[in-house]
Amino acid sequence: MGLKFLEEIKQGIRSASLKKNIICYYINNGDDTLADLGKELNFSVPTVTKMVGELIEDGIVMDFGKMETPGGRRPNIYGLNQSSGYFIGVDISQKRVHIGLINFKGDLIDEQMDISFEEAHPHERFERLCEIIEDFMSHTVVPRDKILSIGINISGRVNPQTGHSYSFFYFDERPLTEMFEEKLGIDVSIDNDSRAMAYGEYIKGRVQAEKNIIYVNVGWGLGLGVIVNGQLYYGKSGFSGEFGHITAFENEILCHCGKKGCLETEASGSALYRKFLEKLHNGQSSLLTQQKENEDEITLNDIIDVALQEDILAIELIEEVGNTLGKHVAGLINLFNPELVIIGGTLANAGDYLILPLRSAIKKYSLNLVNKDSSIKVSKLGDKAGLLGASLLARSKFIGLI
């Protein structure tokens, strides 16, 4: 698809920039008439007609025929050609991988959740991830040659521009994207998982008209995705959003980043898990002591599940995490003055047990005039936010929107 268009992007031709604006409009607003498109983008009718015509020739845009109207002349509707190309999103969690496929319009058409991913050595994890992706491509619903790009989410420090990951898979000086492309034979991009989740919610999830958004990813770790004026905020090297590694406590608990006292050590899935096992060792009871013979079998999801079954110990600890997290989200609200704060990640599955104390702490610790501007919502995409965000980012990067 779009070989002419992609070549124009590489050459920096002005018409490519206009076409990117048209594609971006269709991504954000759906199908529309040429007149409405021109009005929104401030293009003349001849310019819109010419650009859309070339995108149709390139296979990126389609003419869907006449618009249904009560009377008068019916204009044609145009929009993205969903079959012009497909994109894979790969979301890596602590010991699982989620993978999915979207069409060119951004619709999720295939997925595989909770694939085991427990290899410890970086090189072994790389090889295993390539196997997972290859297996998915060989069994998915579209031919391999229609898959244009793969987006991979990785937690921690990721430089999307150079293609390096410094927290995981760091076993070679070469860009990680280069190694994936050699192995898979397809264009590959990488990004931070929290940022990709934020982008997924922005395009397909909880975001409506808001342009200034904070996405708080409360998973095993604690990350942040920031959108400012409708654009992802990366920082100089793509390292923005390391919310979990703000020094917040004098607790002497060693964080996985190598430092002590990080926010993540008290307000994350790993903190909840550690505290839960400590309470069990100290003799407190839980539904999980009856369900699991060995404490090593307990997972973070198990703790959330029993909380939803009204397990007192799990509820108390989740509420404690929610209160601690809310206090520091209040600081983010004071700092960024966002329109929307989205709470996502694994711990968001605990629902009100996390969200109610979090909201209460935000109200208590943020400035009243500032927090009135900010709506607090739970992720709409849930466990699929990562794979959707990764695939949507792969599409945007491939066609030069980011």
Side-chain angles (χ1 to χ4, degrees):
M1 92 17 116
L3 295 179
K4 180 182 175 184
F5 170 61
L6 295 175
E7 190 60 35
E8 288 175 352
I9 291 176
K10 292 176 184 177
Q11 294 176 11
I13 296 174
R14 181 175 180 272
S15 62
S17 178
L18 300 180
K19 290 175 184 177
K20 284 197 292 185
N21 289 339
I22 291 171
I23 292 171
C24 189
Y25 176 84
Y26 285 135
I27 285 173
N28 292 328
N29 301 282
D31 307 336
D32 214 336
T33 65
L34 293 183
D36 286 340
L37 177 64
K39 183 178 179 181
E40 289 296 324
L41 298 180
N42 199 26
F43 292 169
S44 68
V45 172
T47 298
V48 169
T49 303
K50 181 177 184 294
M51 294 296 104
V52 170
E54 291 180 5
L55 287 169
I56 290 173
E57 290 177 9
D58 226 15
I60 298 173
V61 170
M62 286 186 69
D63 180 348
F64 294 112
K66 300 294 183 183
M67 178 181 183
E68 291 297 328
T69 58
R73 188 175 178 182
R74 296 182 300 163
N76 283 32
I77 294 290
Y78 298 85
L80 297 177
N81 176 6
Q82 65 179 21
S83 61
S84 60
Y86 299 85
F87 302 88
I88 286 176
V90 182
D91 185 44
I92 305 168
S93 60
Q94 185 200 7
K95 294 183 178 181
R96 292 286 184 270
V97 167
H98 308 318
I99 186 168
L101 179 82
I102 62 168
N103 60 25
F104 200 77
K105 294 188 80 167
D107 304 316
L108 184 64
I109 60 173
D110 196 7
E111 66 186 77
Q112 192 173 350
M113 305 290 287
D114 292 317
I115 304 166
S116 178
F117 188 61
E118 301 199 18
E119 285 71 18
H121 190 274
H123 193 270
E124 291 175 353
R125 287 174 71 80
F126 172 80
E127 293 293 335
R128 170 63 179 148
L129 189 59
C130 289
E131 289 176 7
I132 290 170
I133 296 170
E134 283 283 4
D135 182 69
F136 181 80
M137 288 193 292
S138 67
H139 292 95
T140 195
V141 294
V142 301
R144 185 187 180 109
D145 61 2
K146 295 285 283 182
I147 299 171
L148 302 180
S149 186
I150 299 168
I152 301 174
N153 289 349
I154 304 172
S155 61
R157 271 66 69 203
V158 177
N159 188 326
Q161 290 189 333
T162 66
H164 286 89
S165 168
Y166 296 97
S167 300
F168 296 94
F169 302 105
Y170 191 55
F171 56 88
D172 196 301
E173 292 296 325
R174 290 187 302 157
L176 182 60
T177 48
E178 182 181 304
M179 292 187 283
F180 274 122
E181 287 170 358
E182 283 182 6
K183 195 81 173 175
L184 301 170
I186 294 177
D187 177 77
V188 174
S189 62
I190 61 173
D191 217 313
N192 173 267
D193 56 347
S194 301
R195 190 157 46 232
M197 291 175 178
Y199 193 68
E201 291 287 345
Y202 183 68
I203 299 295
K204 287 285 184 179
R206 187 62 68 188
V207 179
Q208 295 179 357
E210 299 92 350
K211 296 296 182 183
N212 297 286
I213 301 128
I214 289 174
Y215 181 96
V216 183
N217 176 19
V218 201
W220 186 254
L222 179 62
L224 198 70
V226 180
I227 295 175
V228 179
N229 293 328
Q231 300 293 321
L232 284 172
Y233 179 73
Y234 279 86
K236 182 178 184 298
S237 303
F239 301 154
S240 69
E242 292 295 337
F243 183 40
H245 301 297
I246 293 172
T247 302
F249 305 101
E250 297 291 337
N251 57 16
E252 292 301 304
I253 297 173
L254 186 66
C255 181
H256 72 84
C257 73
K259 300 184 184 299
K260 293 180 179 180
C262 290
L263 177 58
E264 191 172 292
T265 63
E266 298 288 350
S268 66
S270 58
L272 170 64
Y273 182 80
R274 184 194 73 244
K275 292 178 179 184
F276 189 86
L277 292 189
E278 286 174 355
K279 295 291 186 181
L280 293 186
H281 291 157
N282 290 333
Q284 293 199 36
S285 61
S286 162
L287 292 174
L288 283 176
T289 55
Q290 305 165 22
Q291 297 174 8
K292 302 284 184 178
E293 293 183 5
N294 192 327
E295 288 181 2
D296 293 338
E297 297 175 1
I298 295 174
T299 67
L300 178 59
N301 283 327
D302 290 333
I303 298 171
I304 295 169
D305 288 343
V306 293
L308 298 176
Q309 298 170 39
E310 300 184 355
D311 182 271
I312 299 301
L313 176 59
I315 290 171
E316 287 179 350
L317 292 177
I318 291 171
E319 288 178 341
E320 184 179 305
V321 168
N323 181 68
T324 302
L325 182 61
K327 181 185 296 187
H328 291 274
V329 171
L332 293 177
I333 290 173
N334 289 344
L335 184 64
F336 286 101
N337 188 207
E339 298 165 83
L340 176 63
V341 176
I342 302 172
I343 309 299
T346 305
L347 240 62
N349 294 329
D352 284 347
Y353 292 129
L354 179 78
I355 300 303
L356 291 180
L358 184 145
R359 286 180 188 274
S360 178
I362 288 174
K363 188 174 182 180
K364 181 178 180 180
Y365 293 105
S366 62
L367 299 169
N368 289 338
L369 279 175
V370 182
N371 69 38
K372 286 178 181 178
D373 289 340
S374 301
S375 176
I376 315 296
K377 295 182 180 179
V378 178
S379 165
K380 180 179 178 181
L381 300 180
D383 293 337
K384 296 180 183 178
L387 71 87
L388 268 167
S391 53
L392 291 165
L393 271 178
R395 178 185 65 175
S396 292
K397 291 176 181 180
F398 187 80
I399 59 181
L401 299 180
I402 293 179

